[in-house]
Structure formats: structure tokens, C-alpha cells
Amino acid sequence: MDNAKQLVENITVGIQEKKGHDIVVADMRNVEGAICRYFVICQGNSPMQVEAISDSISDTVREKMGEKPVKVVGQTLAHWVAMDYTDVIVHVFLPETRTYYNLEALWEDANLTRIPDLD
């Protein structure tokens, strides 16, 4: 398994540990002009949960892969936190912010995989 796919799997684990939901992985490898190989998009129900999800992602990836994000933005308000792992960019949204920006439709050329929510 290549490093980017392993990174996506560990990011997903971090999201699920804090009950993040509606996880979508956008495979950007065949999208011309894409800035990364994968987008991982998910949501939490409150700013506190969005922050907890982003912290969990960071902790999980650091523990399992020894990697830190290059940049994290949006944690102050926690309506939309973006985490840049170079090959993978993670977006953690509040539901209304996710609906407004609709990244899944923006990257309609990408192959989208929906990860089932854990109970």
C-alpha cells in the first residue's frame, strides 16, 4: 500500500474515533490540475466536535505514521478545519458549511468513495 493510501486510512480512523460522519474520500489522482492525490471530507455536529476530530486525526497520523500536517487552518472558529498533509488534504466541516461549499460537487471528476458511519 502506498503512503497516501495509508495516510487516508489513518485519517479515517482518527475521524471515526471522534464519531465524525459522512466521510467521503475523493481520489484526485486523475483530475487534471489537482493540488493533491486525495481529499478526505467529513463533518462533526458542533465546533467542539470539529476541533476534536481534527485533533484526533493529527494524533492518529502522528502516532501511526510519524507525520504532522504541513498546515492546519480554521481551528479558531471550527466551522471548517482544513489539514494539509501534502498528498492528502482533509476537510472537517460543520453540516451547514459543508453544504454551502459542496466540495464533492466541485470535484465531480474525482472518484468519490463514501465510508460508512460507525454506530
Side-chain angles (χ1 to χ4, degrees):
M1 175 182 312
D2 75 22
N3 192 55
K5 284 186 179 184
Q6 186 178 8
L7 186 55
V8 168
E9 286 188 9
N10 284 305
I11 288 166
T12 301
V13 168
I15 293 167
Q16 292 173 328
E17 283 185 3
K18 295 299 178 182
K19 302 202 184 312
H21 55 94
D22 292 332
I23 303 169
V24 174
V25 177
D27 184 340
M28 309 292 286
R29 293 176 295 175
N30 294 321
V31 176
E32 190 173 330
I35 60 173
C36 63
R37 294 177 66 192
Y38 297 94
F39 272 2
V40 179
I41 304 164
C42 70
Q43 66 189 49
N45 294 321
S46 68
M48 185 181 290
Q49 186 183 18
V50 167
E51 185 177 356
I53 292 167
S54 64
D55 288 344
S56 179
I57 292 166
S58 184
D59 292 345
T60 301
V61 171
R62 186 175 57 253
E63 289 169 11
K64 297 192 181 231
M65 300 184 71
E67 292 190 33
K68 295 180 182 179
V70 174
K71 182 96 171 157
V72 177
V73 295
Q75 284 187 311
T76 304
L77 295 176
H79 292 212
W80 175 5
V81 175
M83 307 175 75
D84 183 353
Y85 283 94
T86 307
D87 283 339
V88 181
I89 297 178
V90 184
H91 301 275
V92 186
F93 287 103
L94 286 177
E96 58 274 9
T97 308
R98 183 178 186 173
T99 300
Y100 180 80
Y101 287 100
N102 196 10
L103 292 184
E104 291 95 325
L106 180 65
W107 295 106
E108 64 186 23
D109 293 345
N111 182 24
L112 302 180
T113 302
R114 299 189 184 281
I115 307 295
D117 291 344
L118 297 180
D119 292 329

